[in-house]
Amino acid sequence: MVALTLERHSQAPAAGYAGAFVTVLIWAGWILATRHTAATTLGTIDLGLIRYGVPALALAPVWLRLGLFPKGVPLGLLALMVAGSGAVFFQVAAFAIHATPASSVGVLLGGSMPLATALIGASFFGERPDGMRLIGFGAIVVGVAILLVRGLDTADASAWVGYLLLPGAGILWAVYTHAFRRSGLSPIEGSALIASWSFVIHLLLALFFGSTLSTVPAHEIGLQVMSQGILSGLVATLAYGIAVSRLGGTQAAAFTALTPVLAMVGGGVLLGEAIGPYEVTAAIATATGVALSTGILSPRQR
């Protein structure tokens, strides 16, 4: 009995590390798959239909039980959650990713999320990050600044649209983070509600602005169903939940520091994007900053 208990305890961290690594792989893959669609006829509305249609269907028992307006959740919080990580976030992020190299997306989006979350927390909720986290935020700023200075010489007008929109997407995600913390919902409940409302919003967008799904080759749709719907919409949610439950929120969040690096490597290897010393330096600085911003090396975590 004791041996079995010890075995379970030894397996728990391993499962958490596996869940965290699977999550960041999927997040980096989502950036690459979305970037890939810039060369296809798939528009951002089509991607949104896929991204939220699959989890909305799979999690239907959850949102049907809760109702689309769950009791005890203020309507304003629900709207901020849907905007922050649902339809509005997706449209802003997807549009920007279409115009921006994957290496830049990993830095600008992956770095702006924790930075914006901390700024909102300090400005509106009295949160005060410790010194180690402040160093992390400074490293994020350095990484983003390197990328922007580099972009002054190399980026065209369309890429600069992405450079401006990606931090905006990061701010939206930060708004979602604070709204979700105060909603009282579980991760699965929050995901189900966001997916269902975002799918409805994208149906309305398709009704007014049209959709090209019927003209897209089946293999392209299949790739996005796997990446956007199944992996990003379902598997990453489950994997990150396992990581948080086995490792704790701080350690699990620290793994997101891998996303800028993985997106940069994937962009070079899979999409043939140019990667130079500026991109490498920016990715490393941002990844280091994201890891430190979680508080993983703060004194109370030792």
Side-chain angles (χ1 to χ4, degrees), residues 13-24:
Y17 292 132
F21 191 62
V22 166
T23 300
V24 296

Side-chain angles (χ1 to χ4, degrees), residues 79-90 169-177:
L80 290 175
M81 288 169 55
V82 173
S85 73
V88 179
F89 166 82
F90 186 87
I171 293 172
L172 284 170
W173 188 271
V175 169
Y176 151 75
T177 299

Side-chain angles (χ1 to χ4, degrees), residues 66-82:
L66 288 173
L68 291 178
F69 299 96
K71 294 180 180 179
V73 180
L75 184 58
L77 279 184
L78 181 61
L80 290 175
M81 288 169 55
V82 173

